[in-house]
Amino acid sequence: MTTYRDLTSHGIPTRTAASLVGLPRATATRTPRTRAARQVVVPANRLDVLARARILTVVNSARFVDLPPIQIYAQLLDEGVYLASISTIYRVLAENKQVKERRRLARHPARAIPELVATGPGQVYTWDITKLPVTCRGVLGQWALLK
C-alpha cells in the first residue's frame, strides 16, 4: 500500500498506480482502518476479590460441590442469603476454569472386545458375522472358516 501511495503522491493516476501495484483500485483507494485503542471500562458494581473468593468458597463447599449454580442460588435464596446472581456465579466459575460437570463421575476403563478365535473347523459357531475379523472388507472369503 505504501508503494501505491508513493505513486499517487507523485502524480500518477490512481487507475495506473493500482494496476502497477497489482491491486484493485477500490482496495487501493480505500482508507485504511486504524483501530483506536480503547480503555477497558470496569463496571462500577464489579465484585471485589474478597466477594469473588467468598463465591468460590461457598460453591466449592461440601454442601454445594455436586450442584449446578442455579440450584446453589435457589437454595441460598430460600435461606435468605443473596450471594450473587446466577450469571455472576457462572462468570466467577469460568474465570477459575470450573465451569464443567461438577458431580463426581465414574471413569470406566475401556473393555477389551471379546474375539472369537477358531483354529480348526467346527470350533466356533455364531449367528452374528458382522464382528468377525476378516482380511478384506466386503469379501466373503472367510465363510470357509465357519463351516
Side-chain angles (χ1 to χ4, degrees), residues 19-53:
S19 65
L20 287 173
V21 174
L23 290 174
R25 189 167 52 127
T27 302
T29 57
R30 185 179 301 130
T31 56
R33 295 183 202 157
T34 55
R35 297 190 183 262
R38 290 203 260 163
Q39 293 180 348
V40 177
V41 179
V42 178
N45 58 349
R46 180 184 170 134
L47 294 177
D48 59 344
V49 177
L50 294 175
R52 290 173 180 271

Side-chain angles (χ1 to χ4, degrees), residues 14-123:
T14 58
R15 181 170 291 152
T16 309
S19 65
L20 287 173
V21 174
L23 290 174
R25 189 167 52 127
T27 302
T29 57
R30 185 179 301 130
T31 56
R33 295 183 202 157
T34 55
R35 297 190 183 262
R38 290 203 260 163
Q39 293 180 348
V40 177
V41 179
V42 178
N45 58 349
R46 180 184 170 134
L47 294 177
D48 59 344
V49 177
L50 294 175
R52 290 173 180 271
R54 180 171 176 238
I55 291 172
L56 275 178
T57 306
V58 171
V59 168
N60 292 329
S61 67
R63 178 178 166 203
F64 297 122
V65 76
D66 289 340
L67 297 177
I70 192 165
Q71 289 182 6
I72 297 170
Y73 175 81
Q75 286 184 15
L76 288 175
L77 275 186
D78 287 344
E79 298 168 5
V81 177
Y82 180 79
L83 189 61
S85 68
I86 300 168
S87 60
T88 302
I89 295 173
Y90 271 109
R91 198 175 303 118
V92 169
L93 287 174
E95 288 173 358
N96 293 286
K97 295 180 177 51
Q98 293 185 14
V99 179
K100 57 181 172 67
E101 180 64 50
R102 295 174 52 79
R103 295 175 293 171
R104 293 183 49 185
L105 299 176
R107 304 275 189 244
H108 298 290
R111 293 185 184 167
I113 299 172
E115 185 176 332
L116 302 174
V117 178
T119 56
Q123 292 179 351

